[in-house]
Amino acid sequence: MAGVVAVVLLAEAVFIAALNWFLGVVVDRQDMSLAGLDPDVMSTSSKIGGVLFGLYFALCALVAALVAVRDRAPAGLGRVLLISAAVVHGLLGAFAWGLVGWTAFLFMVVVLGLIVLLLMTYDRAAGPQSEAPGGVPGQGGGPATRTEPGAAPAGAGAPAGRTDEPQDGDDEPQDSVPAQITVPAPTTP
């Protein structure tokens, strides 16, 4: 699915860059001023804008391709790029409805849906950690665990195995991650 998004965004990047380059050439050959603007400036800005917009969509396609190859959710800048591409397609779809027609609107909405589907299907909270219990963590026996900063190594001073007797807190639900306790700062000088 992420590969489809990458191909669509790359094709759109090439189309947007080529369209703006073509419009820049048309403006350059017209030799007419629009509201007093220099035709050379309009032509150059159209070409530069097309190249930048095309590079933006190509970068979004690269992020989608990396998601497809790694089979992991996008993180950091990649996630922000895909979210911004979804917003851009929503805005372009709204403008396309009035200026171009319903077919361009439909294309923009389909691409928007693909990007949102990509972001939702590769959710970072869910993950395939359905391995057999009872082994050394991180070596195929169970899910890999991270050591907490400042935690003692597992060998020296590790607590003994759990007995069947109830211990403190067994009657209450437990969090999977212990809460960090911060000391409140004084509010008065």
Side-chain angles (χ1 to χ4, degrees):
M1 209 285 297
V4 172
V5 175
V7 169
V8 168
L9 285 174
L10 189 60
E12 190 176 11
V14 170
F15 176 75
I16 290 291
L19 177 67
N20 278 325
W21 193 272
F22 172 74
L23 291 175
V25 169
V26 167
V27 167
D28 193 30
R29 291 188 180 167
Q30 286 294 321
D31 257 352
M32 292 188 324
S33 170
L34 179 67
L37 294 174
D38 185 21
D40 292 331
V41 172
M42 288 190 302
S43 170
T44 305
S45 64
S46 175
K47 290 176 183 177
I48 290 173
V51 168
L52 290 177
F53 211 45
L55 287 175
Y56 166 71
F57 279 141
L59 187 61
C60 292
L62 176 66
V63 170
L66 288 175
V67 167
V69 169
R70 293 178 182 168
D71 198 26
R72 276 193 335 217
L77 181 64
R79 189 166 185 83
V80 170
L81 277 173
L82 288 177
I83 291 171
S84 69
V87 170
V88 165
H89 279 88
L91 292 173
L92 286 177
F95 288 125
W97 180 271
L99 297 175
V100 181
W102 67 271
T103 53
F105 170 77
L106 184 64
F107 175 76
M108 290 298 163
V109 169
V110 166
V111 176
L112 169 67
L114 285 173
I115 294 171
V116 170
L117 189 62
L118 170 75
L119 289 168
M120 297 303 288
T121 55
Y122 289 93
D123 191 13
R124 282 189 274 176
Q129 292 196 0
S130 58
E131 299 174 4
V136 179
Q139 295 182 356
T145 59
R146 290 183 283 172
T147 59
E148 293 294 325
R162 183 178 169 104
T163 62
D164 289 335
E165 298 175 12
Q167 296 181 1
D168 288 340
D170 279 348
D171 297 335
E172 300 172 12
Q174 299 291 318
D175 290 337
S176 60
V177 178
Q180 301 262 340
I181 299 174
T182 58
V183 179
T187 55
T188 57

